[in-house]
């Protein structure tokens, strides 16, 4: 009688051996080159990674957006507004719920099905940012659900999630005060500011206690900050410089958001016009 099959894991052949990471590829705290004027991915210090945005990628959702930021890839869907059946008391304002989830294959470390501490923290920050931008008084006793699935973690996930969520809210036609644009900023031990940090840079920040990082989301029209998360210790000079640099980078991200949204609206209008019956 054959032994019972363990269905909880993939059983490899008996001659298999565990994969050992190459120590030479491990990230270090030093992420600059050429005397500190450029980064290992050939970007300048204030450059944002190449970005790709697309609306309407999930047909079953009220609105959706797909974002690629360097090697970071994620998908955001928005559902609602819909009635809250569990809430008994009447409220004059609506409710926003956000959930950020990493796919099991999104990073070298396989993630479980239960939300870990990082996912819970990102969900909380995204909920607060969306609640500040969405006009909740427009749909009393209703809620809007935002779901973000991270397909690949290449760094700057929280900033990418907020940026994609804002585009998905606009695609869903939810009334908002303004769009949200977000970027991440890191500082090394020489007070060099790095905009839109990658995974290697973020792990370098975590490896060196002298580093610090900051993620900021703003509404470009009013300049209001809707989300701000800081890791590590920093002084007043660093903090002020990070806020200024992040604000300028958010404006560039917002230009890409508006271009994508405009193209999606024009495409929808052309499709509607082509589908309309011809009048004589």
């Amino acid at each position: 009688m054959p032994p019972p099959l363990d269905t909880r894991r993939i059983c490899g052949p008996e001659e298999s051996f565990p994969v050992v990471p190459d120590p030479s590829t491990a990230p270090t705290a030093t992420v600059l080159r050429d005397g500190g004027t450029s980064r290992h991915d050939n970007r300048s210090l204030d450059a944002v990674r190449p970005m790709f945005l697309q609306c309407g990628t999930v047909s079953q959702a009220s609105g959706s957006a797909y974002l690629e930021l360097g090697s970071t890839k994620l998908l955001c869907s928005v559902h609602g507004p819909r009635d809250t059946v569990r809430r008994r008391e009447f409220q004059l304002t609506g409710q926003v719920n956000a959930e950020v989830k990493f796919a099991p294959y999104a990073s070298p470390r396989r993630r479980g099905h239960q939300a870990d501490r990082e996912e819970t923290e990102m969900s909380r920050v995204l909920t607060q940012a969306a609640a500040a931008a969405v006009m909740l008084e427009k749909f009393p006793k209703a809620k809007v659900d935002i779901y973000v699935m991270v397909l690949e973690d290449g760094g700057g996930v929280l900033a990418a999630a907020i940026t994609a969520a804002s585009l998905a809210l606009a695609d869903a036609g939810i009334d908002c005060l303004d769009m949200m644009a977000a970027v991440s900023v890191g500082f090394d031990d020489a007070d060099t500011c790095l905009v839109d940090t990658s995974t290697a840079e973020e792990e370098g920040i975590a490896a060196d206690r002298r580093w610090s990082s900051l993620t900021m989301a703003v509404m470009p029209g009013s300049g209001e900050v809707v989300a701000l998360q800081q890791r590590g210790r920093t002084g007043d000079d660093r903090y002020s410089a990070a806020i200024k640099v992040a604000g300028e980078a958010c404006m560039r991200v917002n230009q890409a958001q508006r271009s994508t949204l405009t193209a999606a609206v024009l495409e929808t209008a052309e499709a509607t016009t082509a589908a309309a019956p011809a009048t004589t």
Side-chain angles (χ1 to χ4, degrees), residues 158-179:
L158 178 58
I162 296 175
T163 301
S166 179
L167 192 61
L169 287 170
D171 183 58
I174 305 248
D175 293 331
C176 298
L177 297 174
D178 196 359
M179 299 191 73

Side-chain angles (χ1 to χ4, degrees), residues 98-138:
E99 179 182 349
V100 179
K101 183 64 179 176
F102 285 81
Y105 50 82
S107 58
R109 178 179 63 87
R110 184 176 178 84
R111 295 177 181 265
H113 297 286
Q114 297 293 332
D116 56 20
R117 181 177 180 182
E118 183 180 10
E119 293 171 337
T120 303
E121 179 68 15
M122 288 186 179
S123 300
R124 182 187 64 82
V125 176
L126 179 56
T127 299
Q128 294 178 350
V134 176
M135 302 176 68
L136 300 177
E137 65 276 6
K138 293 288 186 178

Side-chain angles (χ1 to χ4, degrees), residues 29-45:
T30 304
V31 296
L32 300 180
R33 65 179 188 180
D34 297 335
T37 59
S38 65
R39 296 145 87 168
H40 285 284
D41 53 2
N42 297 323
R43 282 188 295 153
S44 60
L45 302 180

